[in-house]
Amino acid sequence: MGFDFNKMLAWKLRAGSHKFPGPHGGTCINEAAIVAAGLEYRPVSDISDLPDCFSPVIAEFALRLNDTMPANLRQKYLMPFVLRLAGSADTRKIEHERAVLIMTRVMREIISLAAPTPHLAAQFRKGDSLERAVDTLRVVIDDKNNPLITHYKFSALLAALVPLCPACKPTPREMASAVGVFVSPIVATAVLLNRKTAVYAIAGRILDSALAIGNQGSGVVETASERMESARTQAAAKKSARVGQTAPQKIGNQLVDA
């Protein structure tokens, strides 16, 4: 991915939204990207909370991965994107390409891993376009003997895919919502196969490929590191001040609350 992120590893990514960065970072990937870009900080509980320069499709996928990955994998597979989110917003056409790429590759490269037979795996790998992905889901939904039915909500995936047909003219927000649905099978596959590292590594590569389409952030690692370090330092100073205000003070031989 081209950047040396060693200076940024002290920033710890966490699930959920956060009112402000903590002494060790303690934000989601999108919040960390806001700090790295030098934008005014805001907690992100939904992509509507993000600045307009963030791609809604990319941000949604990153947000959902952030909230479902184990902590060590979140740090490994999402931190490399901290400089690439701000400035990634693009045209409706580009956002649509990104959404379709994410969803079709989740089917081809992740769900197919759990298929118990080569034939069923091949069905998922056929979905190399929006139309073929829709056809594939319809086939596997109709197969009542498909053992994966108990682990995956294929009807929900199909319901997310169908509105993305060009004739429906989906908005970027609708595309993002559809992409969010496709994080569930990533989680299910990781748990079902007990291969979290391998599955989330694939998800990281899918995110990287989606970002390679159209605009992407071009932040400078040194500048971003300084901003993130400054945010951590300020948070540590505020925490120290709060502790000092509430710490008991000694008067004579007695301790009293401050």
Side-chain angles (χ1 to χ4, degrees):
M1 297 172 192
F3 297 112
D4 177 8
F5 283 91
N6 290 333
K7 298 178 181 179
M8 294 185 176
L9 293 181
W11 190 282
K12 302 302 179 186
L13 296 179
R14 294 182 180 176
S17 63
H18 309 84
K19 290 184 179 180
F20 41 76
H24 303 291
T27 69
C28 75
I29 177 62
N30 285 303
E31 292 164 344
I34 288 173
V35 174
L39 301 171
E40 183 178 355
Y41 185 79
R42 61 181 80 177
V44 178
S45 59
D46 181 85
I47 59 170
S48 62
D49 298 324
L50 286 166
D52 291 340
C53 63
F54 281 61
S55 159
V57 168
I58 296 296
E60 177 75 13
F61 192 54
L63 186 153
R64 300 303 170 194
L65 288 176
N66 179 91
D67 288 352
T68 58
M69 278 187 181
N72 62 320
L73 300 184
R74 185 186 303 124
Q75 201 69 19
K76 180 177 181 179
Y77 293 123
L78 288 186
M79 273 304 286
F81 297 101
V82 73
L83 296 184
R84 300 175 64 187
L85 300 182
S88 61
D90 214 307
T91 64
R92 183 190 298 249
K93 180 177 182 295
I94 292 296
E95 298 293 354
H96 189 267
E97 288 182 28
R98 288 168 166 170
V100 172
L101 178 145
I102 289 170
M103 292 185 288
T104 55
R105 286 188 57 176
V106 167
M107 288 178 57
R108 294 198 329 261
E109 299 176 30
I110 295 181
I111 299 178
S112 65
L113 295 175
T117 67
H119 173 73
L120 190 53
Q123 288 287 348
F124 288 107
R125 287 197 292 269
K126 285 180 181 178
D128 56 0
S129 66
L130 178 60
E131 294 75 13
R132 294 190 71 172
V134 168
D135 290 342
T136 296
L137 286 176
R138 285 179 173 149
V139 168
V140 299
I141 288 172
D142 289 338
D143 181 4
K144 305 306 179 184
N145 296 319
N146 177 4
L148 296 183
I149 291 289
T150 58
H151 301 287
Y152 298 91
K153 297 179 180 178
F154 292 123
S155 58
L157 303 184
L158 181 60
L161 274 179
V162 170
L164 292 193
C165 67
C168 295
K169 298 182 179 179
T171 66
R173 180 59 188 263
E174 290 170 336
M175 300 174 203
S177 296
V179 163
V181 175
F182 273 73
V183 174
S184 293
I186 296 174
V187 179
T189 305
V191 173
L192 184 62
L193 300 181
N194 194 24
R195 294 174 58 191
K196 292 182 180 179
T197 299
V199 170
Y200 282 114
I202 296 171
R205 291 196 291 271
I206 293 173
L207 178 58
D208 182 49
S209 295
L211 258 173
I213 302 172
N215 294 332
Q216 55 185 286
S218 57
V220 178
V221 67
E222 288 78 9
T223 304
S225 295
E226 291 173 3
R227 290 167 177 161
M228 298 172 85
E229 181 61 30
S230 175
R232 285 195 298 267
T233 301
Q234 291 178 34
K238 289 179 181 178
K239 181 177 180 180
S240 178
R242 287 196 301 271
V243 171
Q245 290 171 357
T246 58
Q249 297 177 348
K250 189 172 183 180
I251 299 180
N253 291 325
Q254 294 182 329
L255 286 176
V256 297
D257 289 335

